Amino acid sequence: SCLTFVSKQPHTIDIISYLGWICNIRAGNVQSLGNHIKASSELVAFNIDQAVTSVSPAADGKWTISQLPCHGDLVTDLDFSPFDDALLATCSADETVKLWRLCSPEKEQPGGPELNLSPGLGRLELVLFHPTSSGLLAVGAAQSALLWDTSRQDAPLAGTSTPPPPAPPPTHATHVYTLTHTYMDSKPSFVVFLLVSFPHRTLIPMFDADTGLLVSVPMFPFKLSKQFHFLATTPTRGACAVPKMAMDTLSCEVMRVFQLTDSCIMPISYQVPRKVEFHADLYPDTAGRTPAQSAQEWWKGENAQVHPPPPPPPPPPPHTHTHPAPLSAAPSRSPSSSSGLSTGPGPRPSPTPAPGPGPSQSVKAIQNLMGPNSKFRHIQGSVRHRDAHITNLKALNLTTPGESDGFCTNAQRVAVPLSTPGGQIAVLELSKPGKLSDTFLPTVQNTVNVADLCWDPFNPRRLAVAGEDAKIRVWTVPEGGLTETLTEPDLLLQGHTEKIYSIRFHPLASGLLVSSSYDLTVRLWDLGTGQEVKVLSGHQDQIFGLGWSPDGKLLATVCKDGKVRVYDPRKSTAPVEEGPGPGGHRGARVVWVCKGEYFLVSGFDSNSQRELSLYSVGALASGPLATTEGDVSPSTLIPFYDPDTSLLFLTGKGDTRVCIYEIVPEQPYFLECSSFSSQEPHKGLTFLPKTVCDVREVEVARGLILTKTTIEPVAFKVPRVKKEYFQDDLFPETAVWWESSLSSSDWLAGSNGKHRTIKLRPSDMAPVSEAPKEVPVKKYMPSSYYLEEKTDEQKKDELLSAMVAKLGNMDDPLPQDGFEGVDEDEWVSGRDEAYSFESLFIFV
């Protein structure tokens, strides 16, 4: 008999029960008293008939499946150790009990068990770890139960033998005996849990001692599984509860159950309907992962209890690293959808605790297990009103090179390459949205097809365009926008011998441009003189992307030869540092993050799967600090980084989804936020300056999405309650990057500059940090109120009270009492009949 187990990575299991199913399995047709499925905080194990051959597309990437041939006969029961997620005990009809040390499903499983016990009781039905003692195992057979100390294999600690209960008549209720454990009078002990059920309706009980929640799932062949009116669609083969430490506390999840059916495993979440935040009253102290005593100590009569986990260690001092520690070998988090990216691997440290009274130690431990959350995790993207769209855009060039963003924008206008002959570029004013003319559209006549283009950040009228003829043309748009076609550039830069990949302006020095080409060189241009000033070498293949550091001192490149390089152009034309880059050869991008201490590369792995890699400047040779994997798609993910919020926006040409992450300079490095999806594939995405954001609506970023015929603005907002206050934690002082801090000649001479900053807070808004503190008010009923289900008598009483209230008071005068011309005694019989009807109606 085989066991199949799957790895569920932290925080990746879906909360809604119909998302994250494990499908296309073949559950074993097991006839035993065992549960057939068990879960630890990291693994799920269950019986199967034969090897699992595939998983459904909905679960692809979420679950890694592996097999463990463990017994020569039927596996009747299994259990994970409460103190070790990888320690699994199994018992079988072959009369043996085995302990297995499992590893990650991506790796080869052990060839044999760590421990093999032969109790000599015949067919074994049940196996169970003790909840407080290490190495103490209970084994149940048809007529006997034994307690084993797994550290001593010679003999069990104790044994009991009881005759089997007589078989009852098939028309009466039967008794099902299940070996389990519970807490009685605060003393852990083994008891026999008795369930009375109808014939062929065995119930699987799962009890949460923290909340007092009891969940029972009927076994096959019945389909009803009670989750506050939850109805399963397939017969149940088994069920198990997930350990408390794996709950999603921010979603008020108090229990999670895996339900095993013939062909799938359904995760079912039990949640209390509350606001999405942490509620301490739902999560009292829970048992930790350290055993309270040994098996011998328990057998001598000690009754120690498992203490809550210790509080997390204090946070490290402010980050001033030169070479951060690499991530551990823990598996990365699975993607949440087929087009999303997974978070970085490695353990997640607890965020810095806030001053003042906080949650209990166990709550902190749960938060530590779940890892930090981004304050932008609920960010919402929405397309602005159609009045702000530019529509009727025709002849859009859909074949721009993958190294180009496809179009570019500044605060005033947007430039879009067209597919018409002559390399024409439409320059559209953002202040004039609406439908474009069908007859005439003034353009920039670039003469050759456009390879890349970008606006001068310090001159909103100057546009640099790289052509496929290895030349760069610099154009100046008239004030107020184009009124006629431009045919002559202001400046023509020549020097490259092959087609140009991409061009970028310097972030601080005015008139300084960098370009990369098929001739495997990177060249710096001084637009003031129109001359080439530097030629950087060292690349052995196509240069996929390049990017300036925020301080303008360094230049990073990613190349098809599998290397990432960092240049200091003023000191050397050779790279000052290089390291291994993406393994794929389909394209890549590079962007600097976290104040220039790191840079991020978006590319592909050797299997053409999208990949994000984070590098530390000064430690490129050791490889990336963190690597996350995404879906398989032909287009490169284009990264856009906001230095004010540390938000990273990712999308590719032809995608419908924009993934959002907050980048932090410590593990886990990537904090996943909500994503934005458009109705149709977009051809490009770019972002506007921070000053256009509506801070009153907590708009942290605004972008422009290019479709086949339109340019649509998208606002990214963070939902906040006190919107009347300025959210100063989301809007720090922003850099005035549209003003240069030095000239190109000064920078080339060795000078360095820095942008000044401005405040975004309106004069009539007070910061939220200075808002008066509200007195905490209990907004919710205790958890027992939501978890309780009303009895039939309570429902009848409520219905009767509602009916009486609607009928009104019988002492009130009837309408005919106000009529004139009729004696009072003429209405007596009518009143009595009305009262009789009301009484009869209430009785019914």
Side-chain angles (χ1 to χ4, degrees):
S1 181
C2 288
L3 282 178
T4 292
F5 66 97
V6 294
S7 173
K8 52 184 183 63
Q9 310 302 342
H11 323 300
T12 62
I13 198 164
D14 294 292
I15 300 306
I16 306 301
S17 61
Y18 289 96
L19 298 176
W21 289 24
I22 308 173
C23 300
N24 294 346
I25 66 172
R26 185 169 295 178
N29 189 14
V30 183
Q31 299 295 333
S32 69
L33 298 180
N35 206 7
H36 317 319
I37 180 172
K38 284 295 177 69
S40 69
S41 296
E42 296 181 358
L43 302 172
V44 181
F46 58 95
N47 300 68
I48 61 170
D49 278 337
Q50 61 183 26
V52 174
T53 57
S54 64
V55 296
S56 70
D60 188 16
K62 289 178 178 291
W63 304 90
T64 306
I65 302 180
S66 180
Q67 281 190 18
L68 180 67
C70 50
H71 285 278
D73 203 342
L74 176 70
V75 176
T76 54
D77 198 15
L78 61 155
D79 193 25
F80 279 101
S81 170
F83 312 114
D84 190 341
D85 287 333
L87 188 60
L88 177 70
T90 61
C91 66
S92 171
D94 62 5
E95 305 182 13
T96 61
V97 178
K98 297 181 181 181
L99 262 65
W100 303 88
R101 174 68 59 181
L102 305 180
C103 57
S104 175
E106 292 87 353
K107 302 178 181 179
E108 185 178 357
Q109 296 305 315
E114 283 193 351
L115 183 62
N116 194 338
L117 303 177
S118 298
L121 301 178
R123 173 188 169 111
L124 303 178
E125 293 288 349
L126 301 167
V127 63
L128 190 68
F129 278 100
H130 194 276
T132 65
S133 305
S134 61
L136 186 55
L137 196 64
V139 181
Q143 302 181 26
S144 303
L146 293 179
L147 301 180
W148 283 85
D149 182 358
T150 57
S151 62
R152 298 174 54 194
Q153 305 183 33
D154 50 357
L157 289 175
T160 61
S161 179
T162 57
T171 57
H172 294 81
T174 61
H175 295 176
V176 180
Y177 294 89
T178 303
L179 184 66
T180 183
H181 58 75
T182 184
Y183 285 91
M184 302 183 65
D185 298 330
S186 301
K187 295 181 180 180
S189 60
F190 280 89
V191 299
V192 174
F193 192 93
L194 178 63
L195 291 179
V196 179
S197 62
F198 293 100
H200 311 296
R201 298 189 185 184
T202 304
L203 294 178
I204 305 174
M206 286 159 285
F207 180 71
D208 180 14
D210 293 344
T211 61
L213 181 63
L214 175 65
V215 177
S216 60
V217 179
M219 289 283 283
F220 55 86
F222 295 94
K223 300 183 179 181
L224 181 62
S225 175
K226 188 174 183 182
Q227 187 216 5
F228 303 115
H229 314 294
F230 175 79
L231 182 64
T233 57
T234 55
T236 300
R237 293 288 179 181
C240 69
V242 177
K244 196 72 171 183
M245 301 293 283
M247 296 297 101
D248 185 359
T249 58
L250 293 180
S251 297
C252 301
E253 184 183 34
V254 294
M255 179 174 282
R256 188 186 306 160
V257 173
F258 284 115
Q259 186 172 1
L260 176 65
T261 67
D262 291 331
S263 60
C264 66
I265 297 177
M266 297 184 297
I268 305 171
S269 177
Y270 293 79
Q271 300 177 7
V272 177
R274 289 194 182 180
K275 184 179 179 181
V276 180
E277 60 183 27
F278 182 80
H279 298 271
D281 61 320
L282 296 181
Y283 301 99
D285 288 346
T286 191
R289 305 298 300 275
T290 303
Q293 57 199 351
S294 65
Q296 293 294 332
E297 291 172 342
W298 179 84
W299 182 246
K300 292 178 182 179
E302 297 185 14
N303 286 318
Q305 296 192 38
V306 179
H307 295 288
H319 186 70
T320 57
H321 101 300
T322 57
H323 181 21
L327 290 173
S328 66
S332 63
R333 177 178 173 182
S334 301
S336 56
S337 72
S338 59
S339 61
L341 286 174
S342 61
T343 56
R348 295 184 167 210
S350 174
T352 304
S360 63
Q361 293 182 352
S362 63
V363 169
K364 293 180 180 178
I366 293 176
Q367 293 173 335
N368 186 35
L369 178 66
M370 294 179 59
N373 287 303
S374 172
K375 59 185 175 183
F376 301 96
R377 62 185 179 275
H378 300 302
I379 190 172
Q380 300 172 353
S382 59
V383 178
R384 302 193 70 202
H385 193 271
R386 188 175 177 84
D387 292 344
H389 297 190
I390 298 176
T391 61
N392 199 34
L393 181 62
K394 298 181 178 180
L396 179 67
N397 186 0
L398 303 178
T399 61
T400 53
E403 292 77 18
S404 172
D405 292 348
F407 75 123
C408 62
T409 185
N410 56 29
Q412 298 181 11
R413 49 188 61 91
V414 58
V416 183
L418 303 178
S419 59
T420 50
Q424 298 188 49
I425 303 170
V427 179
L428 310 173
E429 300 294 313
L430 295 178
S431 60
K432 301 176 182 179
K435 184 178 179 180
L436 299 177
S437 173
D438 291 325
T439 57
F440 175 71
L441 181 65
T443 61
V444 173
Q445 193 82 28
N446 195 60
T447 307
V448 296
N449 289 337
V450 177
D452 196 15
L453 71 170
C454 65
W455 291 102
D456 187 337
F458 313 123
N459 184 352
R461 297 169 51 202
R462 183 155 63 177
L463 177 67
V465 181
E468 294 184 352
D469 59 352
K471 299 176 183 179
I472 301 175
R473 295 168 174 83
V474 181
W475 305 82
T476 300
V477 177
E479 191 71 37
L482 287 179
T483 56
E484 59 183 4
T485 300
L486 294 183
T487 57
E488 292 296 330
D490 296 338
L491 189 62
L492 183 65
L493 305 178
Q494 302 183 67
H496 284 295
T497 59
E498 297 287 345
K499 174 184 174 181
I500 297 174
Y501 300 129
S502 53
I503 54 178
R504 296 289 185 272
F505 276 96
H506 194 276
L508 293 171
S510 61
L512 192 63
L513 185 71
V514 64
S515 61
S516 62
S517 167
Y518 273 89
D519 59 17
L520 308 184
T521 64
V522 175
R523 300 174 186 255
L524 269 70
W525 308 85
D526 186 352
L527 301 188
T529 61
Q531 300 296 319
E532 172 190 299
V533 293
K534 293 285 182 179
V535 179
L536 307 182
S537 59
H539 299 94
Q540 305 300 319
D541 208 328
Q542 178 184 355
I543 306 168
F544 284 142
L546 46 79
W548 287 104
S549 62
D551 57 9
K553 298 179 181 179
L554 303 176
L555 180 71
T557 65
V558 55
C559 184
K560 191 176 180 179
D561 60 8
K563 297 287 186 180
V564 290
R565 297 174 174 89
V566 172
Y567 290 85
D568 190 340
R570 293 178 294 185
K571 294 182 179 180
S572 174
T573 59
V576 296
E577 192 181 8
E578 67 178 32
H585 305 292
R586 303 184 62 174
R589 295 298 185 92
V590 59
V591 63
W592 292 74
V593 298
C594 299
K595 301 180 180 179
E597 295 183 4
Y598 304 84
F599 65 82
L600 185 138
V601 174
S602 168
F604 297 86
D605 62 9
S606 57
N607 297 322
S608 297
Q609 189 172 7
R610 283 172 167 176
E611 183 180 70
L612 279 180
S613 300
L614 186 67
Y615 292 85
S616 173
V617 179
L620 296 188
S622 60
L625 290 175
T627 300
T628 68
E629 296 180 350
D631 59 340
V632 177
S633 180
S635 61
T636 306
L637 282 173
I638 305 174
F640 302 93
Y641 179 73
D642 179 13
D644 293 346
T645 59
S646 296
L647 288 179
L648 178 71
F649 300 84
L650 295 159
T651 192
K653 296 179 181 178
D655 286 359
T656 59
R657 186 184 181 200
V658 179
C659 301
I660 306 174
Y661 292 88
E662 182 183 1
I663 308 300
V664 295
E666 56 188 9
Q667 293 183 3
Y669 300 107
F670 298 93
L671 301 180
E672 186 176 3
C673 305
S674 300
S675 60
F676 165 75
S677 297
S678 57
Q679 295 182 352
E680 60 177 306
H682 44 256
K683 309 306 175 184
L685 172 68
T686 186
F687 282 82
L688 298 172
K690 200 76 166 189
T691 51
V692 305
C693 295
D694 187 358
V695 297
R696 298 180 185 274
E697 295 297 325
V698 202
E699 182 183 1
V700 296
R702 183 178 299 180
L704 295 178
I705 285 183
L706 177 66
T707 69
K708 286 185 178 180
T709 59
T710 63
I711 298 176
E712 304 173 356
V714 179
F716 295 91
K717 303 177 181 179
V718 177
R720 287 290 177 94
V721 176
K722 299 180 180 180
K723 295 173 64 174
E724 66 274 14
Y725 292 95
F726 176 73
Q727 310 296 320
D728 50 350
D729 60 324
L730 303 183
F731 298 100
E733 293 187 1
T734 187
V736 185
W737 53 264
W738 51 91
E739 295 180 2
S740 63
S741 59
L742 71 167
S743 64
S744 58
S745 58
D746 293 337
W747 183 85
L748 292 170
S751 300
N752 295 313
K754 185 178 181 181
H755 287 304
R756 68 182 182 91
T757 59
I758 58 173
K759 296 181 179 180
L760 299 176
R761 180 169 67 92
S763 58
D764 58 343
M765 293 185 70
V768 70
S769 59
E770 300 177 5
K773 304 298 182 182
E774 296 182 356
V775 179
V777 178
K778 187 175 182 181
K779 300 180 181 180
Y780 307 102
M781 301 294 292
S783 59
S784 59
Y785 175 82
Y786 298 97
L787 300 177
E788 284 182 355
E789 186 170 354
K790 296 178 182 179
T791 64
D792 292 340
E793 291 298 330
Q794 291 175 329
K795 293 178 180 179
K796 290 179 180 179
D797 292 341
E798 291 184 359
L799 178 60
L800 186 59
S801 299
M803 294 172 61
V804 171
K806 286 188 176 182
L807 289 175
N809 192 348
M810 290 189 297
D811 295 334
D812 295 339
L814 295 174
Q816 55 264 39
D817 291 341
F819 295 166
E820 297 181 358
V822 181
D823 295 336
E824 180 69 22
D825 55 357
E826 296 184 20
W827 294 106
V828 173
S829 59
R831 182 188 297 271
D832 293 341
E833 291 177 0
Y835 287 162
S836 300
F837 174 75
E838 292 178 0
S839 302
L840 177 62
F841 182 68
I842 295 174
F843 176 78
V844 173

